[in-house]
Amino acid sequence: MLVELRIENFALIERLDIELGAGLNVITGETGAGKSIILSALSLILGERATDGLIREGCDSLAVEAVFFRVNSRLTDVFAHYNLPGVDEDSLVIKREVRRNGRNRCFVNNQTVTLGVLKDIGDHLVDLHGQHEHRSLLHPEKQREILDAYGNNDRLLERVRVAYGNYKTTIHDLKILRSESAQFTEQQNFYQRQLDELIVLDLKAGEEEKLIQESELLSHTEKIAELCESITLYFDDSEASLNLIPALGVISKNLSEISAVKPEFKALVEKIDQAREALEEVSLTTESFSAALTFDPSRLEQIESRLATIQRARKQYNRTIEDLIAYQEELSDKLADYGTFHQTEQKLLAQGKIEKEALEKTLSELSASRSQAKTKLERDLIRVAKQLAMNNASFEIVLKKFESNKGFTMSDGVTYRVSPKGLEEVEFLFSANPGVSLKPLAKVASGGEISRLMLALKTVIATEDLISTLIFDEIDVGIGGQVAHVVAEKLAGVSQKHQVVVITHLAQIAGRASQHYLVEKTLTSGPPQVRIRGLSEEERVNEIARMLGGKESSSSALQHAREMIAHD
């Protein structure tokens, strides 16, 4: 619901604040007072394009701000789509700034948005009907929504959306699987050859490093043997030996005797004993290693051959040994998976068949429901339209299906374009005069006809419509008398379920107002100014008396005005 509208420096408006309420909000005023300027300003909030020609003379910019309460639930999805902060359950503030330098800006809850985003949000907030472009009834997508709302198709639409999503997902998965299968089939022999090579190689982690170490040892066996022999000279009992270990034993014995007199020598004894134990370990290890050391030319040749094979594999695959081991496992898994391609394909085909049948069933049910709703809505609209002085009007709802090679094939063999909204696109056709062929609504209906047709629609589908604020301009064009009473009655009826704002010259409509506002133009030394104010009960009586064509002060006009208000 639109609760507040603030306008600054727009056309003849210097500053204007209006607080609107629930029910029927009526705006009246003399011809040329500037009533429609207010709606032109509001249309900017709803995403219509603006030029600097709208800026008040002598000003550099204009601003329009609107506050909405209890906005409809579909806006939650719109905000999520554009990654906007969630809709506050109590209020939504939209602001539009237009500058002469072209730096125009749009804000939603203080966050900057594009004009396209603003228009999408506006489509869910207000239905504005009259001379303005923001008339949702003219949009085919909105016409389909109206038909579905009238036919209570919400549950069917949700079933179609789910079935469509499931079917599209399965078809997509099947397409990906077949693409991967085709690619893999082309490469299968190549993968198998690589896997066979790697299996023969039988690579092991750390193998290359161990072989390099063994190769180094075998390559230097003679030198190592000589070194070991020179070391043993310090430990054996031959005359050439230095007999280091026995010598350390003598030193330890002598130091022990000294420590008896000089206790601090005990530490030296311990160090000599540790050195002797270390030399004994060196002697044993060297002797054991030297005894086992043999030169095996065939083993060295075998190692060098293995290392050459490993190096070739690394160069061929441009991978480390660890990567080659992992690659072998990957190839093995790929080749194993290939055996499941056919099984998975058959599973997806079976699943797709089930989901196709489910989708076709729900699409057919939705189409049937729309066909039934179409007939009834056409009849109801014509009935109400005649009550609104559209006696010669003809109205038809066309359900159109489009064939497509890339669409959805029904059981009758015909392939149609399909979407989560179903098979049909909807178009409202209209003719206001007898003998004139029906044409799309946007091409033939005037502003007043559009307003009355929308009033007829809102009368018929008031409980199903989610847009809470309806604004009518030019709805009273060319009508009067009893028809004016009927229009007023219909507006009052719709205002029980929606907030309605109407600009009118008809006293019958003004008499039904929940809130009545008067627009006035004042002339000063500068540019004219447009102002708006809410009327008291007595002021309402005077304004309705004026609208009746009598003098405000005449007792008969005032009495008639009071009767109109009292009748409401």
Side-chain angles (χ1 to χ4, degrees):
M1 183 175 73
L2 175 62
V3 295
E4 188 172 357
L5 181 65
R6 294 187 283 271
I7 307 171
E8 294 183 8
N9 301 325
F10 184 96
L12 300 180
I13 298 173
E14 181 177 13
R15 180 175 179 84
L16 182 149
D17 294 303
I18 178 172
E19 294 183 358
L20 300 169
L24 181 58
N25 298 266
V26 171
I27 299 174
T28 63
E30 297 279 2
T31 300
K35 300 184 292 297
S36 292
I37 294 177
I38 297 172
L39 294 194
S40 296
L42 179 60
S43 71
L44 295 189
I45 288 293
L46 304 178
E48 298 300 336
R49 296 196 173 276
T51 66
D52 60 7
L54 297 174
I55 300 173
R56 181 175 169 82
E57 186 176 343
C59 300
D60 294 325
S61 64
L62 68 83
V64 184
E65 184 174 346
V67 180
F68 295 86
F69 277 5
R70 296 189 296 275
V71 296
N72 87 62
S73 57
R74 290 185 181 175
L75 269 180
T76 301
D77 295 334
V78 177
F79 272 52
H81 176 72
Y82 293 113
N83 294 319
L84 293 172
V87 183
D88 188 279
E89 63 179 12
D90 293 327
S91 67
L92 171 65
V93 181
I94 298 178
K95 186 176 182 181
R96 183 89 177 269
E97 294 178 352
V98 180
R99 303 175 185 275
R100 293 194 188 278
N101 61 14
R103 296 178 180 175
N104 305 333
R105 296 189 296 176
C106 309
F107 300 91
V108 175
N109 285 346
N110 291 321
Q111 181 165 332
T112 304
V113 299
T114 66
L115 185 60
V117 172
L118 185 63
K119 183 170 179 58
D120 199 1
I121 292 173
D123 286 342
H124 292 79
L125 291 172
V126 174
D127 260 341
L128 196 161
H129 307 284
Q131 62 185 334
H132 305 276
E133 295 179 5
H134 194 95
R135 298 182 289 188
S136 64
L137 182 57
L138 304 184
H139 305 154
E141 182 67 24
K142 181 61 178 179
Q143 293 172 1
R144 182 167 59 190
E145 288 182 12
I146 289 171
L147 180 63
D148 283 330
Y150 182 76
N152 294 312
N153 288 334
D154 283 353
R155 290 185 178 179
L156 269 175
L157 282 167
E158 177 61 16
R159 285 174 55 199
V160 168
R161 185 190 67 79
V162 172
Y164 176 84
N166 291 341
Y167 178 70
K168 291 292 286 186
T169 298
T170 299
I171 294 302
H172 175 74
D173 291 347
L174 186 59
K175 181 179 179 181
I176 295 299
L177 178 74
R178 285 173 169 170
S179 175
E180 291 177 349
S181 177
Q183 293 176 7
F184 192 86
T185 299
E186 294 177 0
Q187 299 176 338
Q188 184 183 12
N189 292 336
F190 175 67
Y191 287 152
Q192 187 64 61
R193 187 170 63 253
Q194 286 190 325
L195 179 61
D196 292 342
E197 289 177 354
L198 292 174
I199 290 174
V200 171
L201 278 173
D202 191 24
L203 297 171
K204 295 179 175 59
E207 178 186 11
E208 187 176 22
E209 291 76 9
K210 292 179 181 178
L211 290 174
I212 291 173
Q213 292 175 3
E214 188 177 354
S215 174
E216 286 291 314
L217 179 60
L218 289 173
S219 299
H220 298 85
T221 301
E222 185 176 353
K223 176 65 176 176
I224 293 171
E226 291 177 357
L227 293 173
C228 288
E229 185 178 354
S230 66
I231 292 171
T232 58
L233 291 175
Y234 291 90
F235 301 112
D236 62 22
D237 296 329
S238 65
E239 293 182 1
S241 174
L242 296 178
N243 290 320
L244 290 179
I245 295 175
L248 288 175
V250 172
I251 293 172
S252 176
K253 179 178 179 298
N254 294 339
L255 287 173
S256 295
E257 291 180 7
I258 295 172
S259 66
V261 180
K262 193 73 171 173
E264 56 264 33
F265 273 66
K266 287 183 179 181
L268 295 177
V269 174
E270 292 177 0
K271 289 181 179 181
I272 290 297
D273 289 344
Q274 290 172 357
R276 186 174 62 181
E277 290 174 1
L279 286 175
E280 287 175 347
E281 184 178 351
V282 170
S283 176
L284 291 173
T285 302
T286 303
E287 184 179 355
S288 174
F289 176 68
S290 179
L293 189 62
T294 59
F295 177 64
D296 186 349
S298 62
R299 174 58 181 164
L300 180 59
E301 183 179 349
Q302 181 184 4
I303 291 173
E304 290 177 347
S305 175
R306 178 64 172 168
L307 286 172
T309 300
I310 292 174
Q311 289 167 4
R312 282 196 302 272
R314 284 199 291 110
K315 184 176 181 181
Q316 176 184 343
Y317 290 94
N318 195 26
R319 298 170 187 253
T320 65
I321 296 299
E322 288 71 19
D323 289 342
L324 283 172
I325 293 171
Y327 184 52
Q328 179 179 339
E329 294 178 0
E330 180 184 337
L331 288 174
S332 181
D333 291 341
K334 277 186 176 182
L335 289 164
D337 289 343
Y338 180 70
T340 67
F341 274 142
H342 179 70
Q343 180 181 351
T344 305
E345 180 184 30
Q346 293 304 309
K347 180 180 178 182
L348 287 174
L349 284 171
Q351 181 177 331
K353 181 181 179 182
I354 294 171
E355 290 169 350
K356 181 179 184 297
E357 292 172 352
L359 176 56
E360 180 169 358
K361 182 175 183 294
T362 53
L363 286 172
S364 297
E365 290 176 4
L366 179 59
S367 295
S369 179
R370 282 173 173 168
S371 181
Q372 293 176 2
K374 154 189 150 55
T375 303
K376 190 171 184 299
L377 181 56
E378 288 170 344
R379 183 176 64 247
D380 288 348
L381 278 176
I382 290 298
R383 174 178 54 80
V384 177
K386 288 181 177 179
Q387 297 172 2
L388 300 175
M390 302 172 75
N391 296 317
N392 298 316
S394 299
F395 182 78
E396 182 182 349
I397 300 172
V398 178
L399 303 178
K400 298 184 291 185
K401 298 178 183 178
F402 296 92
E403 295 186 17
S404 170
N405 293 332
K406 297 182 179 180
F408 180 79
T409 303
M410 303 288 282
S411 56
D412 59 6
V414 181
T415 301
Y416 295 105
R417 190 170 68 199
V418 67
S419 78
K421 300 291 187 180
L423 291 170
E424 296 87 7
E425 291 190 9
V426 176
E427 188 169 41
F428 288 1
L429 303 183
F430 178 79
S431 173
N433 302 298
V436 178
S437 61
L438 292 158
K439 294 180 180 179
L441 194 61
K443 296 182 179 180
V444 294
S446 67
E449 289 166 343
I450 285 288
S451 293
R452 273 177 277 164
L453 192 56
M454 177 52 75
L455 176 58
L457 272 169
K458 298 299 181 180
T459 300
V460 172
I461 64 169
T463 57
E464 288 82 15
D465 191 22
L466 287 176
I467 297 182
S468 60
T469 300
L470 313 176
I471 299 178
F472 295 97
D473 188 15
E474 299 184 342
I475 197 170
D476 52 10
V477 173
I479 64 172
Q482 182 57 33
V483 174
H485 284 287
V486 173
V487 170
E489 180 183 348
K490 299 298 184 186
L491 285 169
V494 172
S495 72
Q496 299 300 309
K497 297 290 184 180
H498 301 268
Q499 178 192 43
V500 177
V501 180
V502 58
I503 292 178
T504 185
H505 293 284
L506 290 177
Q508 292 91 332
I509 295 175
R512 294 274 189 165
S514 306
Q515 291 81 220
H516 190 160
Y517 305 88
L518 178 66
V519 176
E520 301 171 305
K521 183 189 293 184
T522 59
L523 300 176
T524 61
S525 57
Q529 293 191 26
V530 173
R531 294 187 173 90
I532 189 170
R533 60 188 178 89
L535 299 182
S536 66
E537 285 302 309
E538 190 58 33
E539 288 174 326
R540 282 190 69 197
V541 172
N542 290 332
E543 172 63 5
I544 292 174
R546 180 196 67 77
M547 296 172 71
L548 287 168
K551 295 183 179 179
E552 295 180 19
S553 58
S554 70
S555 58
S556 61
L558 292 173
Q559 181 59 31
H560 192 182
R562 290 190 182 94
E563 289 174 356
M564 280 190 163
I565 296 173
H567 175 73
D568 176 41

